[in-house]
């Protein structure tokens, strides 16, 4: 998946002397290089294996400043989850389906469906395409889980049914807003089309209506975040006219909301180390990595709160829908350093720190 460079919006940073932590921003620009106040440090640190000494004069140091507007911290809370599509147990047209629904819970509440991470936007979630077995009913279980381990679930019993010869799909079940999402309509050759219409955003108004499927726009751009049902409707020629429909569910992700989920993980680690909560702090890491960080944090003893204050400022990074690589700048005792922190969405849908 193509990665997106996060940078600081020019209007928010009037001077190179007053950079702002990226986790505190309310908007971003894509692929538009701007001197955000950290670039010189990042370039120098990268050139020297992510470590660079400051200039001899302290006054020559850029003012890194304190973190600005840190993302909310997901303390406690019990999630809820509801499957809205399919609306009930039943038999599908064919074997392919996508699940969508709603959740409540603290920031960074993850959703997984049958063990596969789902996409979350606001209080909505949706999945990639799932494939049912050719025979028999199967339980489709959606699980909501918080960083602290509280869970909720909802289930549908679904069975595969016969195909109808019309399949409307997208190679991108999720994409950032304002970026094109491609679609493809496949119609069985035996179906004689009189009319085909496509409603890309699920508002009940077709963006395309015609008799020639090849004229359907190949992509659609969602300007607003949310989960949308794009639907194609095919009406066959008389005398035995029939109507066939097929849907593709798309999650249009707001990059600011998405980044806040990532930032909240880093903020949680800071907060819980400050509170000397080792058990809570290690929850930001995948299960297999927790023992090594537990040993480190226990070894810090009463220095845990001091360590938390020196973890640094997230300056920039690369963010996809499923992982993030952030560059963190620190400035201590006249020495400026940079290091990478890798975040990733786990199989349960919760974002955690993979490496730092």
């Amino acid at each position: 998946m193509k990665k997106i460079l996060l940078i600081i919006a020019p209007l928010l940073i009037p001077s190179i002397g007053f950079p702002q932590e990226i986790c505190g921003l309310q908007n971003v620009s894509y692929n538009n290089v701007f001197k955000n106040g950290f670039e010189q440090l990042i370039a120098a640190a990268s050139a020297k294996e992510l470590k660079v000494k400051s200039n001899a004069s302290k006054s020559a140091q850029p003012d890194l400043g304190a973190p600005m507007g840190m993302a909310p911290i997901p303390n406690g809370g019990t999630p809820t989850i509801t499957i809205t599509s399919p609306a009930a147990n039943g038999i599908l047209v064919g074997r392919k389906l996508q699940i969508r629904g709603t959740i409540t819970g603290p920031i960074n509440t993850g959703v997984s469906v049958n063990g596969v991470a789902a996409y979350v936007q606001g209080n909505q979630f949706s999945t990639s395409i799932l494939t049912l077995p050719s025979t028999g009913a199967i339980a489709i279980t959606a699980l909501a889980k918080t960083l602290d381990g509280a869970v909720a679930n909802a289930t549908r019993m679904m069975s595969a049914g016969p195909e109808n010869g019309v399949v409307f799909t997208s190679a991108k079940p999720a994409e950032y807003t304002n970026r094109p999402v491609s679609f493809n309509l496949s119609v069985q050759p035996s179906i004689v089309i009189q009319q085909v219409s496509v409603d890309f955003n699920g508002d009940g108004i077709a963006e395309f209506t015609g008799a020639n499927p090849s004229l359907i726009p190949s992509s659609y751009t969602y300007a607003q975040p949310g989960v949308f049902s794009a639907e194609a409707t095919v009406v066959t020629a008389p005398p035995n006219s029939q109507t066939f429909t097929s849907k593709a569910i798309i999650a249009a992700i707001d990059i600011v909301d998405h980044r806040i989920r990532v930032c909240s993980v880093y903020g949680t680690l800071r907060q819980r180390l400050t509170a000397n909560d080792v058990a809570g702090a290690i929850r930001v890491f995948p299960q297999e990595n927790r023992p090594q960080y537990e040993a480190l944090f226990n070894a810090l003893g009463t220095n845990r709160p001091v360590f938390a204050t020196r973890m640094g400022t997230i300056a920039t990074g690369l963010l996809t829908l499923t992982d993030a690589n952030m560059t963190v700048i620190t400035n201590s005792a006249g020495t400026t350093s940079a290091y990478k922190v890798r975040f990733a969405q786990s199989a349960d849908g919760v974002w955690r720190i993979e490496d730092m």
Side-chain angles (χ1 to χ4, degrees):
M1 182 175 292
K2 182 179 179 180
K3 295 188 176 182
I4 292 180
L5 176 64
L6 302 179
I7 65 153
I8 311 301
L11 294 179
L12 295 178
I13 310 298
S15 167
I16 196 170
F18 298 96
Q20 184 176 11
E21 181 169 47
I22 199 165
C23 284
L25 297 182
Q26 295 305 304
N27 56 37
V28 295
S29 297
Y30 300 138
N31 304 318
N32 181 22
V33 176
F34 177 72
K35 300 296 182 184
N36 60 25
F38 292 114
E39 284 191 342
Q40 293 175 344
L41 293 176
I42 294 169
S46 298
K48 297 184 179 181
E49 297 180 351
L50 292 179
K51 187 170 184 180
V52 59
K53 291 187 177 181
S54 67
N55 295 328
S57 171
K58 184 177 180 180
S59 62
Q61 277 294 108
D63 179 11
L64 298 184
M68 301 290 290
M70 174 54 67
I73 309 303
N75 288 319
T78 301
T80 66
I81 188 166
T82 302
I83 296 175
T84 58
S85 179
N89 300 335
I91 301 174
L92 293 176
V93 175
R95 297 176 58 191
K96 308 289 186 180
L97 84 160
Q98 290 177 270
I99 304 296
R100 66 178 296 183
T102 60
I103 62 166
T104 64
I107 188 72
N108 195 25
T109 295
V111 175
S112 60
V113 176
N114 284 20
V116 179
Y119 304 102
V120 175
Q121 171 57 48
N123 69 339
Q124 301 181 78
F125 74 89
S126 61
T127 68
S128 299
I129 297 174
L130 308 178
T131 303
L132 298 183
S134 56
T135 59
I138 184 174
I140 305 294
T141 299
L143 182 74
K145 185 175 184 179
T146 69
L147 184 65
D148 287 331
V151 298
N153 62 72
T155 300
R156 291 281 185 270
M157 295 299 298
M158 305 303 301
S159 301
E163 302 277 358
N164 68 7
V166 174
V167 180
F168 188 53
T169 59
S170 172
K172 291 183 177 180
E175 180 57 281
Y176 290 121
T177 56
N178 296 311
R179 293 173 63 85
V181 177
S182 60
F183 289 91
N184 179 69
L185 176 63
S186 173
V187 180
Q188 187 175 306
S190 61
I191 294 177
V192 180
I193 298 174
Q194 181 183 46
Q195 179 178 283
V196 59
S197 60
V198 179
D199 175 7
F200 286 106
N201 57 18
D203 64 356
I205 301 173
E207 279 73 41
F208 172 85
T209 300
N212 187 352
S214 66
L215 299 179
I216 296 173
S218 61
S219 68
Y220 184 82
T221 299
Y222 295 90
Q224 300 299 322
V227 175
F228 301 90
S229 290
E231 182 175 60
T233 301
V234 174
V235 179
T236 64
N240 299 313
S241 293
Q242 291 180 285
T243 299
F244 302 109
T245 62
S246 181
K247 292 183 179 181
I249 297 174
I250 307 297
I253 306 297
D254 181 275
I255 195 170
V256 175
D257 290 347
H258 193 56
R259 188 183 63 238
I260 286 175
R261 296 170 68 86
V262 177
C263 291
S264 72
V265 182
Y266 200 67
T268 298
L269 180 57
R270 284 173 168 165
Q271 183 199 64
R272 294 184 180 179
L273 287 175
T274 299
N276 278 306
D277 178 10
V278 174
I282 64 173
R283 285 187 177 274
V284 307
F285 303 102
Q287 186 72 44
E288 64 271 19
N289 295 344
R290 291 177 187 176
Q292 67 190 68
Y293 288 103
E294 183 176 25
L296 169 62
F297 297 154
N298 282 331
L300 289 172
T302 57
N303 289 320
R304 283 187 288 267
V306 176
F307 177 83
T309 65
R310 296 177 179 175
M311 286 177 60
T313 300
I314 296 180
T316 189
L318 295 170
L319 177 64
T320 78
L321 295 176
T322 57
D323 67 0
N325 288 281
M326 299 295 193
T327 298
V328 179
I329 300 291
T330 63
N331 185 21
S332 179
T335 298
T336 299
S337 303
Y339 64 95
K340 299 289 186 181
V341 180
R342 172 175 162 75
F343 302 80
Q345 186 184 39
S346 301
D348 58 11
V350 179
W351 281 76
R352 296 183 175 88
I353 297 175
E354 290 275 320
D355 187 45
M356 63 181 295

